[in-house]
């Protein structure tokens, strides 16, 4: 009961955020714009898939990669530290709520919020596709939407897990900014650094070593793309990754990596919260 009450409260409170509303609106506009112009990157236009299918997938993928991590981290970064600074945790714990209820209730409630944002963005793209495209890949749309919800939940969990360790909202915001940069930019820079340090500027005939490719796959954003290809094989035509025979670089491994990211940060945050002195 406590878990459900906290989750409902978090959903109702968080959705009123002006910053969240603006970011979600940008997500919706961007997804709708890509769908409206039926844009498919030039390197993928030789695919055997129809332009309608490629345009639908691209409008979803290009929107998710940048906006979903941002919205997820925004929802999670101050989830704990705000209540800790305001002292509201003392009041909440005086009610029949456990610390697990508070952490996982926040996770569930805020994941529901990002679910609404995803539904609005993808729903806009789908509406445009249904009205203007020659065909609409419903099964691909549904599967990718569900996977995107998991992707969003990963970043909500990362944000909440990090928030437990922060002593102020300002520090939490700085860390959130750093995490967004890490997952969307700096991870690739680090992989390039590893390549230059180990194999040089020119790729060997066999391509990058498998261990570097696996290190890249540990990024939840890269794992998301692997997972998309595992669940929706058509996304193979819309992504480019080095080929490898290694079992740990097969597409399904992306699902495992996402599952780890979904569970570990929130769990670590909960264990820390259990020992936290709220006084």
């Amino acid at each position: 009961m406590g878990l459900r009450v906290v989750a409902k409260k978090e959903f109702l409170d968080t959705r009123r955020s002006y910053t969240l509303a603006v970011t979600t609106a940008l997500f919706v506009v961007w997804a709708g714009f890509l769908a409206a112009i039926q844009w498919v990157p030039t390197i993928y236009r030789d695919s055997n898939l129809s332009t309608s299918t490629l345009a639908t997938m691209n409008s979803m993928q290009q929107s998710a990669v940048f906006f979903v991590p941002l919205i997820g981290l925004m929802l999670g970064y101050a989830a704990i530290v705000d209540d800790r600074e305001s002292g509201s945790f003392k009041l909440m714990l005086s009610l029949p709520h456990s610390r697990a209820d508070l952490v996982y209730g926040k996770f569930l409630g805020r994941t529901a919020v990002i679910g609404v944002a995803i539904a609005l963005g993808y729903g806009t793209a789908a509406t445009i596709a249904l009205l203007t495209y020659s065909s609409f890949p419903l099964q691909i749309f549904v599967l990718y939407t569900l996977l995107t919800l998991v992707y969003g939940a990963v970043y909500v969990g990362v944000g909440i897990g990090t928030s437990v360790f922060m002593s102020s909202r300002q520090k939490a915001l700085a860390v959130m900014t750093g995490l967004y940069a890490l997952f969307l930019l700096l991870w690739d820079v680090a992989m390039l650094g590893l390549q230059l340090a180990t194999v040089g500027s020119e790729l060997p005939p066999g391509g990058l070593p498998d261990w570097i490719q696996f290190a890249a796959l540990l990024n939840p954003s890269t794992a998301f793309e692997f997972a998309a290809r595992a669940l929706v094989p058509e996304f193979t035509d819309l992504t480019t990754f080095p080929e490898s025979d290694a079992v740990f670089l097969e597409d399904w491994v992306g699902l495992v990596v996402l599952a780890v990211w979904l569970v570990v940060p929130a769990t670590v945050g909960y264990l820390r919260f259990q020992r936290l002195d709220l006084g």
Side-chain angles (χ1 to χ4, degrees), residues 243-254:
E243 296 295 329
S244 174
D245 295 327
V247 174
F248 54 84
L249 289 175
E250 293 183 7
D251 291 338
W252 61 266
V253 178

Side-chain angles (χ1 to χ4, degrees), residues 45-59:
R45 291 177 186 171
D46 292 333
S47 168
N48 293 324
L49 297 174
S50 68
T51 300
S52 294
T53 298
L54 287 171
T56 300
M57 293 193 303
N58 186 67
S59 65

Side-chain angles (χ1 to χ4, degrees), residues 11 27 44 217 239 259 277-278:
F11 176 78
F27 173 48
Y44 303 125
L217 173 56
T239 54
D277 180 7
L278 300 180

Side-chain angles (χ1 to χ4, degrees), residues 3 26 49 53 55 57 60 140 161 199 209-210 219 229 241 270:
L3 181 67
L26 291 174
L49 297 174
T53 298
M57 293 193 303
M60 299 171 75
I140 292 174
V199 300
D210 289 342
N219 183 336
R229 300 197 311 181
F241 290 115
Y270 163 67

Side-chain angles (χ1 to χ4, degrees), residues 1-200:
M1 180 65 72
L3 181 67
R4 187 178 68 179
V5 170
V6 173
K8 181 178 179 180
K9 178 182 181 299
E10 289 298 309
F11 176 78
L12 295 175
D13 290 348
T14 308
R15 66 178 183 170
R16 302 189 185 103
S17 167
Y18 174 77
T19 304
L20 175 65
V22 171
T23 308
T24 300
L26 291 174
F27 173 48
V28 171
V29 169
W30 182 242
F33 171 72
L34 292 179
I37 65 174
Q38 299 188 32
W39 180 58
V40 178
T42 304
I43 61 174
Y44 303 125
R45 291 177 186 171
D46 292 333
S47 168
N48 293 324
L49 297 174
S50 68
T51 300
S52 294
T53 298
L54 287 171
T56 300
M57 293 193 303
N58 186 67
S59 65
M60 299 171 75
Q61 182 187 59
Q62 296 295 331
S63 306
V65 167
F66 297 103
F67 279 100
V68 171
L70 178 60
I71 295 172
L73 289 171
M74 284 176 56
L75 285 167
Y77 85 96
I80 304 296
V81 71
D82 270 1
D83 286 343
R84 184 182 177 186
E85 283 189 319
S86 67
S88 63
F89 272 139
K90 294 180 180 179
L91 174 61
M92 296 175 73
L93 288 173
S94 69
L95 300 172
H97 303 318
S98 67
R99 294 199 179 200
D101 290 336
L102 296 183
V103 173
Y104 292 111
K106 285 178 176 292
F107 173 74
L108 293 175
R110 293 176 187 234
T111 296
V113 173
I114 200 172
V116 171
I118 291 168
L120 289 173
Y122 285 1
T124 300
T127 300
I128 293 172
L130 287 167
L131 293 175
T132 62
Y133 289 14
S134 60
S135 62
F136 179 69
L138 179 60
Q139 182 178 4
I140 292 174
F141 176 82
V142 171
L143 286 174
Y144 195 76
T145 299
L146 293 174
L147 180 61
T148 304
L149 178 59
V150 175
Y151 181 54
V154 164
Y155 282 99
V156 172
V158 169
I160 290 175
T162 302
S163 182
V164 178
F165 290 86
M166 298 296 104
S167 58
S168 70
R169 184 183 181 90
Q170 290 72 24
K171 290 180 180 179
L173 178 60
V175 170
M176 184 207 80
T177 303
L179 287 174
Y180 185 78
L182 170 65
F183 292 129
L184 273 296
L185 175 63
L186 299 180
W187 202 295
D188 289 339
V189 173
M191 294 304 101
L192 177 60
L194 282 176
Q195 174 191 328
L196 294 175
T198 57
V199 300

